[in-house]
Amino acid sequence: MPLVCVCSPKGGVGKTTMAANLAYTLARGGSKVLAIDFDVQNALRLHFGVPLSDGRGFVAKSASSPDWSQSILTTGGNIFVMPYGDVTEEQRVEFEDNLSRDPNFLARGLHTVLNYPGLVIVADFSPGPGPALKAMTDLADLHLVVMLADTASLSLLPQIENEKMIGSALNQRSGHYFVLNQSDSRRNISRDVTAFMQQRLGDRLLGVVNRDESVAEANASQQSIFDFSPVSAAAFDIEIVGKRIAALLNIKVGDGEMQAPLRSR
């Protein structure tokens, strides 16, 4: 059960889009993939065709439900999604308090999916530090930190390198890696930041995703970049990131078969 956490030190970097397309590229390799949304914006579901009006999710009932897999939605193919859901402010606060106070709260809620044979999990988190990201530290196999090819992201790199994002190492297993998003070689700053990140991070940089208008257009149509524009530069770049993650976590290319169907509603 490989579990990949997609996070970022700041918002507006395309983190959720990256998480969704990473799930798509891993599913294209034959794996059953579950995308889990820990971001209160509840936007991950939209990338998989779940209607905006569908407010279902796991957070609202997380305290009373011992098995959060009851909230999994089927999206077709090899991909399933567990949305954050529409919540009140009180429900959000209760969820975050439980994550902070109870070290086993997350593991209990995810027990079914964490022990499902052959399932790959991609989890999306709110920007910056947060109780969900901190609670996932001991469970995740790899953290993927999404950053832009700009000076704002560059200024936050020491926060990650010095383990200040959550007050400790992001990941206790395979470690954390980076992807640089929306790199634009036509702009001097973007080109310079990309070159600096490549030199500074070395093998920790799993890929550079070129700025591509097809990504925004795919989002608007609730499709993956691979379905919307399979020959686009972004599709090629994201697929490389997915293959490198699969190699790091020894995710075997399969046929999508599992021992039993995923529980979904």
Side-chain angles (χ1 to χ4, degrees), residues 172-205:
Q172 305 290 347
R173 297 183 181 180
S174 297
H176 67 273
Y177 292 82
F178 296 84
V179 61
L180 200 59
N181 200 22
Q182 299 181 27
S183 178
D184 190 343
S185 60
R186 298 168 299 178
R187 298 180 178 179
N188 291 336
I189 289 294
S190 181
R191 188 169 59 248
D192 292 345
V193 170
T194 298
F196 177 84
M197 290 287 206
Q198 288 172 324
Q199 182 179 20
R200 177 71 168 262
L201 298 175
D203 292 342
R204 286 283 172 183
L205 183 62

Side-chain angles (χ1 to χ4, degrees), residues 41 49 56 64 89 99 114 129 131-132 136 139 144 154 165 173 181-182 192 202 235 245 255 257-258 264:
Q41 295 180 74
R56 289 177 293 175
S64 59
E89 178 65 7
L99 286 170
L114 290 175
M136 188 63 83
L139 298 177
L144 183 67
L154 184 61
M165 188 164 170
R173 297 183 181 180
N181 200 22
Q182 299 181 27
D192 292 345
I245 288 176
D255 56 7
E257 293 297 322
M258 298 183 70
S264 60

Side-chain angles (χ1 to χ4, degrees), residues 202-222:
D203 292 342
R204 286 283 172 183
L205 183 62
L206 293 188
V208 175
V209 179
N210 286 285
R211 185 175 181 84
D212 190 334
E213 291 304 317
S214 295
V215 175
E217 293 169 359
N219 291 349
S221 62
Q222 290 191 299

Side-chain angles (χ1 to χ4, degrees), residues 136-141 143 166 168-175:
M136 188 63 83
T137 301
D138 294 331
L139 298 177
D141 293 285
H143 278 65
I166 61 170
S168 61
L170 273 175
N171 190 279
Q172 305 290 347
R173 297 183 181 180
S174 297

